[in-house]
Amino acid sequence: MKLYLFRHGEAEAAVAGDAERHLTQAGSRRNRATAALFMQRGVAVELALVSPYVRAHETAADLAAELGNLAFQESHLLTPDADVSGIIEFLEQTPAGSTLLVGHNPLLSRLLSLLVAGETAACPGLETSELACLSLDVVAPGCGQIDYRLRA
């Protein structure tokens, strides 16, 4: 399985609630630039999931604009403080050969580290507008390999 983790772009300062924060213009531009680098790799995504937060949806729209007709499904498993075990359980059950997750830290950085190093704080975290590509024969802690990381 190929797993693509994309952290949302730079967001505006906190407003009434964290879930309602929008991307900055710079965040959207960087998302599109990273997506363009991703597109150059000729990747086909079978399943795309996005956090319910506004900035994640805006990031998904930036990705879809660059990658073509990519349909995202919203998932509460991708909120910032969600439990990584929920995502791992979901991935174990999905038949998709390639999955793109658009979400937040600390969740995505914890997931990356757990899948690659077997613990949640061992790998460098994802920056805003950064994509990490992992190869997994088995979806389990310590069983993933980072193929590449992209950030424009």
Side-chain angles (χ1 to χ4, degrees):
M1 162 188 262
K2 290 289 186 187
L3 179 62
Y4 306 102
L5 307 177
F6 198 107
R7 183 177 173 205
H8 66 79
E10 177 187 84
E12 64 188 8
V15 290
D18 187 45
E20 290 81 30
R21 292 172 54 207
H22 290 271
L23 293 177
T24 64
Q25 288 181 352
S28 184
R29 278 193 306 273
R30 182 165 266 170
N31 282 344
R32 287 178 183 246
T34 300
L37 294 173
F38 184 45
M39 189 173 127
Q40 290 173 3
R41 293 183 174 264
V43 174
V45 174
E46 294 176 37
L47 177 64
L49 302 177
V50 62
S51 158
Y53 286 24
V54 170
R55 62 192 179 276
H57 273 269
E58 292 172 346
T59 296
D62 290 338
L63 290 169
E66 292 296 322
L67 300 174
N69 203 8
L70 189 60
F72 283 86
Q73 299 173 28
E74 186 175 289
S75 175
H76 289 279
L77 295 172
L78 294 172
T79 58
D81 293 314
D83 187 353
V84 293
S85 63
I87 290 288
I88 289 176
E89 184 177 312
F90 173 84
L91 292 171
E92 288 172 335
Q93 297 172 9
T94 186
S98 60
T99 302
L100 170 63
L101 305 179
V102 176
H104 317 266
N105 274 347
L107 175 70
L108 291 182
S109 289
R110 287 179 182 160
L111 179 63
L112 171 68
S113 188
L114 183 63
L115 289 173
V116 172
E119 54 186 87
T120 59
C123 293
L126 289 170
E127 299 291 329
T128 55
S129 300
E130 184 178 4
L131 176 133
C133 171
L134 283 71
S135 291
L136 298 149
D137 290 329
V138 176
V139 179
C143 293
Q145 174 183 324
I146 297 174
D147 292 339
Y148 56 86
R149 292 174 78 153
L150 301 173
R151 184 171 190 250

